[in-house]
């Protein structure tokens, strides 16, 4: 029970910190910052295949959606483990092979099917705020309810790709598809 409270505290503190650090930003900008921060934290609490970890290299968090440009570039001073994070704005699906994590936003909905085909069976964490993303074959769907962010997880797709997300994070999920 204590570890569940710690995990909840971690994710909720992330949301609170975002609101404190960006008080002058619009509500939409706050949402962009929080979604980028959640995406980073999902990557942080994911267990990656040994092939990804050796040899060590910078983590590439990629995103579709120009309105997220500043939010994701703000992750470039972060680290995952001992490795630095590089944020990359993508313009084409053919570029996803270079990524460890891919975020696709609601405005890029038309890319979903091709994205999921491109990352099928690859250890690339997919995150989106598109309604139904987890049911369509995405790994993590960020959901906004009552002006708060939650998430859904598709375990089948995660496991098929060789990724495992922390059980503590799964306890915080709104829904886990097994």
């Amino acid at each position: 029970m204590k570890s569940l409270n710690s995990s909840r505290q971690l994710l909720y503190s992330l949301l609170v910190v975002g609101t404190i650090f960006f008080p002058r930003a619009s509500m939409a900008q706050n949402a962009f910052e929080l979604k980028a921060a959640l995406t980073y934290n999902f990557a942080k609490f994911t267990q990656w295949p040994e092939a990804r970890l050796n040899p060590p290299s910078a983590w590439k968090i990629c995103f579709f959606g120009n309105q997220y440009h500043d939010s994701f570039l703000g992750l470039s001073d972060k680290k995952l483990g001992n490795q630095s994070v590089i944020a990359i704005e993508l313009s084409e699906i053919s570029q996803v092979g270079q990524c460890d994590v891919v975020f696709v936003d609601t405005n890029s909905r038309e890319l979903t099917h091709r994205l999921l085909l491109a990352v099928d069976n690859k250890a690339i964490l997919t995150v989106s705020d598109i309604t139904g993303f987890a049911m369509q074959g995405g790994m993590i769907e960020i959901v906004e309810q009552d002006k708060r962010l939650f998430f859904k997880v598709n375990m089948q797709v995660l496991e098929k790709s060789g990724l495992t997300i922390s059980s503590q994070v799964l306890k915080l999920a709104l829904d886990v598809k097994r």
Side-chain angles (χ1 to χ4, degrees), residues 157-177:
V157 178
L158 272 162
E159 291 170 354
K160 186 177 166 189
S161 298
L163 301 175
T164 307
I165 198 154
S166 164
S167 61
Q168 298 304 315
V169 172
L170 291 176
K171 289 178 184 178
L172 301 173
L174 189 62
D175 182 44
V176 178
K177 180 182 174 191

Side-chain angles (χ1 to χ4, degrees), residues 54-153:
N54 292 313
S57 62
W59 290 91
K60 295 175 186 84
I61 298 180
C62 302
F63 61 98
F64 288 97
N66 187 269
Q67 68 270 22
Y68 284 89
H69 185 264
D70 294 339
S71 303
F72 276 97
L73 288 184
L75 299 177
S76 293
D77 63 345
K78 304 272 186 208
K79 289 192 178 278
L80 284 171
N82 295 326
Q83 304 307 313
S84 59
V85 171
I86 299 171
I88 301 170
E89 184 175 354
L90 302 178
S91 58
E92 296 183 21
I93 293 293
S94 61
Q95 300 169 306
V96 299
Q98 67 180 319
C99 305
D100 297 300
V101 180
V102 176
F103 178 88
V104 59
D105 79 297
T106 301
N107 293 335
S108 301
R109 176 183 308 277
E110 74 281 355
L111 301 174
T112 305
H113 181 70
R114 290 184 302 143
L115 169 69
L116 296 176
L117 287 174
V119 300
D120 191 38
N121 291 324
K122 293 184 175 103
I124 299 173
L125 184 67
T126 57
V127 181
S128 181
D129 60 355
I130 296 171
T131 303
F133 184 72
M135 291 302 292
Q136 294 172 28
M139 294 177 189
I140 300 175
E141 176 184 338
I142 298 173
V143 179
E144 188 173 339
Q145 290 181 351
D146 302 321
K147 298 185 181 183
R148 292 176 57 194
L149 296 178
F150 298 93
F151 60 95
K152 298 178 181 182
V153 178

Side-chain angles (χ1 to χ4, degrees), residues 14-16 18-19 29-39 149:
L14 215 129
L15 297 176
V16 171
T19 323
Q29 188 60 38
N30 279 342
F32 297 153
E33 300 287 344
L34 293 174
K35 289 174 187 179
L38 280 171
T39 301
L149 296 178

